[in-house]
Every structure is written in structure tokens, then in C-alpha cells.
Amino acid sequence: KMAGSSAPWIGSAYLFLQSTCKTIVLPSLYESSQKKPSVFKALKLALADSTGSVNGVDMLKVHCSHPHLIVQLKFCKQENCRRFLQSYREGALQESLQNHLQLSLAVTTVPLEMELKAGNEHLDNMLKDEDRCLECIYREKPDRLRDEEITELEECLKSLIVHQSINNNMVSPNSPSLPCPSQGSSLSPQVTFIFQGQQFANRTVTPDDHQKFAKLVSKKWKQVGRSLQKNCRALRDPVIDNLALEYDREGLYEQAYQLLLRFIQSEGKKATIARLIAALEENGLISLAEELLGLHSNEDCS
């Protein structure tokens, strides 16, 4: 209906962002050459979370219009746009961006207000009517190519990621946390990851993974929790110790189950199988990692 059979689905929208914290002024941070890469990285990762893909939505330009930071977005697939709208409507995009800004800028909290526009239409007023939002976005064709500055920031981000994967975990505590593909602990869901020389599609942790983990991890659940805590604020040591006490009577299964539940609830779409596998690998739980990736035969799973 919205696109001819031959024409690709392309649309555009503007995302207006404003911090409600007086000490954090997003346009000023973005205008600072020192902070700009950190803000851009947070935007990039949050948008990737919202569509489930690094290339799900393209940033064409970031405008500084005090007090707003305005991001011009381009969508090339209706399905990606639909995922983005669902994430925006449910508040997942807002939460993800707040978390990424918090990590990138090394601050305690970044409360945000968001608004989404396509042309003259305020999409926030019609979010329940997803098809109408899609039509508004589809009607607005991008009026520009990607800004050169965005391309430069993309390259900068890629080189930082590569640099860190070479240096592995040799990053100073004060530097912003960067995704590290080699560790499988990326803050932004990678599309694939490597385990024992094989490539696997990354995905969020499923209920089936959750149960298998709780059933098989046994006494090492705490160690896995400490591996996961490197990029998960919800699993600090006091939390892990409290889980051990709170679910002591229920036993190891429930303790492990509650640990992974905290991880899934706090990380949302970022609670990926790659991060869990990396934590298992780090603690020598190769057999359990293989089980979760379906490398064992069906007989082994029974």
C-alpha cells in the first residue's frame, strides 16, 4: 500500500532529545569535541538496540538546537521502522539511551525526554496507531545524504572498537566502556559472534536458555554472575550475595535462575546469548555453553 512493488521502503523522522537534568545539556556535550564521540556512541548503540540491528536505522545528521539534540533518522525497511516504533512506544529506546549515555559519559543518571516527528506530524500523539506512524515516516523522504561528520564518527567508533579488541581488557577504569566483539560482551547486540572457531547468530537470551542455565550451572552461578557484572550494573557483588541468601533454601537452581533473571530484566535486548556464552567460557563452563548453542545432540539434552 505504502510502496510500489519495485520501490524500496524508505522513510525519515526526527528524534528530539532533551535531558531533564540541568547539569547535563546534550547539545553542549555534542558540541564539545571531547564528549561528542561518547554521545554519538550512546545514540548509535541505543538505535541498534531499538531495531535489533546495527544497520536498522541510519543517522543522517545530529542538530544542536538548545535545549534539544535533534537526530535525523532514515529507515530503509518497513520492518526496522516498525521495530523502532515499538521500542520507542514501550519506552525501551528511552531506557536504552539513558543507560548508554550513563556509561559513555560516566555519570550516575541521564534522565531524558523524547519526542518523535515526521514532517509536521507529532508521532507521539498517534503511537498506538502504528500503521499511521509508518505512513507519516514513509511520506517523509530524507532530504539529505548522511552528514560527513556522522561518517567520521562512525569510523572513529569502529577504530575504537577494533583498538579495544586488540587490547582486550587493558582499558583504564576511567575510559568509557566500549564494545569488545572478541569478548562477546558488547553493549550493543552484535549480529554474530565466534565460539570455538564457529560463527553463531547473536540473539537475546530465551526462556529455554534461562532454564537450561539454571539447571546446569550448579555452584558456579556466582562466578558467572561476576563475569556478567562487568557490563551489567544490576549484578554488583551485594546483589549476588543477597540472591545467595534470599534463595538459599530453594537451592542452586533458583539462585541461578534469579541471577539470570536480574540480568535479563536490567539489560533487556542487550541480554544476549553472546554475553552469556562469554561469561560461561570465562569460567570453564564449555559444556553448558555448547548446550545453549545446540551443539549437543538431542540425546544429550534429555
Side-chain angles (χ1 to χ4, degrees):
K1 182 173 91 174
M2 283 182 268
S5 54
S6 59
W9 197 98
I10 292 176
S12 180
Y14 286 90
L15 182 63
F16 287 71
L17 305 168
Q18 180 182 355
S19 167
T20 54
C21 174
K22 286 179 182 177
T23 56
I24 298 170
V25 184
L26 291 178
S28 299
L29 288 169
Y30 196 79
E31 284 167 341
S32 150
S33 57
Q34 204 176 2
K35 296 289 185 185
K36 182 178 285 187
S38 298
V39 178
F40 176 79
K41 180 187 145 205
L43 286 168
K44 182 79 180 166
L45 297 182
L47 289 170
D49 290 344
S50 74
T51 59
S53 163
V54 177
N55 303 313
V57 53
D58 198 13
M59 278 188 275
L60 295 182
K61 186 170 175 65
V62 178
H63 305 264
C64 294
S65 176
H66 290 260
H68 292 103
L69 199 64
I70 307 168
V71 188
Q72 186 176 4
L73 304 172
K74 176 187 174 185
F75 299 92
C76 289
K77 285 184 183 171
Q78 185 179 331
E79 191 48 47
N80 287 338
C81 190
R82 200 179 283 279
R83 282 198 200 107
F84 169 85
L85 284 169
Q86 287 168 353
S87 176
Y88 181 84
R89 185 177 66 234
E90 291 162 6
L93 174 64
Q94 183 174 358
E95 188 182 342
S96 173
L97 183 52
Q98 286 175 169
N99 290 340
H100 285 307
L101 283 168
Q102 196 175 321
L103 285 165
S104 287
L105 299 169
V107 290
T108 49
T109 180
V110 186
L112 289 177
E113 281 182 358
M114 289 185 166
E115 196 177 351
L116 191 62
K117 294 180 183 178
N120 296 322
E121 300 285 355
H122 291 249
L123 301 186
D124 297 71
N125 300 331
M126 57 176 91
L127 287 173
K128 288 181 181 175
D129 190 346
E130 199 172 277
D131 287 336
R132 192 177 160 204
C133 288
L134 284 166
E135 281 177 21
C136 292
I137 291 170
Y138 175 71
R139 273 203 306 269
E140 292 301 313
K141 298 297 179 231
D143 58 359
R144 59 157 60 243
L145 295 171
R146 186 201 279 192
D147 198 70
E148 281 180 17
E149 182 182 64
I150 298 285
T151 306
E152 285 169 19
L153 285 163
E154 291 260 7
E155 291 306 315
C156 172
L157 186 57
K158 280 178 193 166
S159 67
L160 281 168
I161 291 168
V162 170
H163 178 70
Q164 192 196 351
S165 73
I166 291 165
N167 287 316
N168 226 346
N169 288 330
M170 302 296 288
V171 181
S172 79
N174 300 324
S175 66
S177 174
L178 289 162
C180 178
S182 67
Q183 290 296 298
S185 61
S186 163
L187 292 171
S188 165
Q190 310 122 256
V191 180
T192 60
F193 68 102
I194 304 292
F195 173 73
Q196 293 188 331
Q198 286 188 59
Q199 197 167 31
F200 293 89
N202 200 7
R203 53 179 172 78
T204 49
V205 173
T206 65
D208 189 43
D209 297 330
H210 196 165
Q211 288 189 330
K212 280 182 181 173
F213 170 82
K215 186 178 168 185
L216 301 170
V217 71
S218 191
K219 291 177 182 176
K220 282 199 171 180
W221 69 270
K222 273 189 177 184
Q223 283 147 276
V224 175
R226 292 197 176 99
S227 293
L228 287 171
Q229 79 180 195
K230 291 169 193 170
N231 281 326
C232 179
R233 289 168 182 265
L235 292 181
R236 293 291 178 247
D237 280 333
V239 175
I240 294 173
D241 293 337
N242 285 343
L243 287 174
L245 289 169
E246 197 176 339
Y247 297 97
D248 183 44
R249 286 187 178 181
E250 282 86 342
L252 292 171
Y253 175 95
E254 194 60 28
Q255 288 169 327
Y257 188 91
Q258 293 297 328
L259 172 90
L260 201 57
L261 183 64
R262 295 289 193 287
F263 175 66
I264 292 165
Q265 286 176 339
S266 73
E267 296 298 286
K269 287 181 181 175
K270 299 194 296 292
T272 61
I273 192 71
R275 290 173 71 182
L276 182 55
I277 295 298
L280 294 174
E281 230 180 332
E282 196 171 305
N283 292 287
L285 295 164
I286 304 302
S287 180
L288 174 49
E290 289 173 345
E291 185 84 39
L292 296 181
L293 293 173
L295 294 176
H296 289 168
S297 64
N298 291 334
E299 292 83 66
D300 294 337
C301 295
S302 58

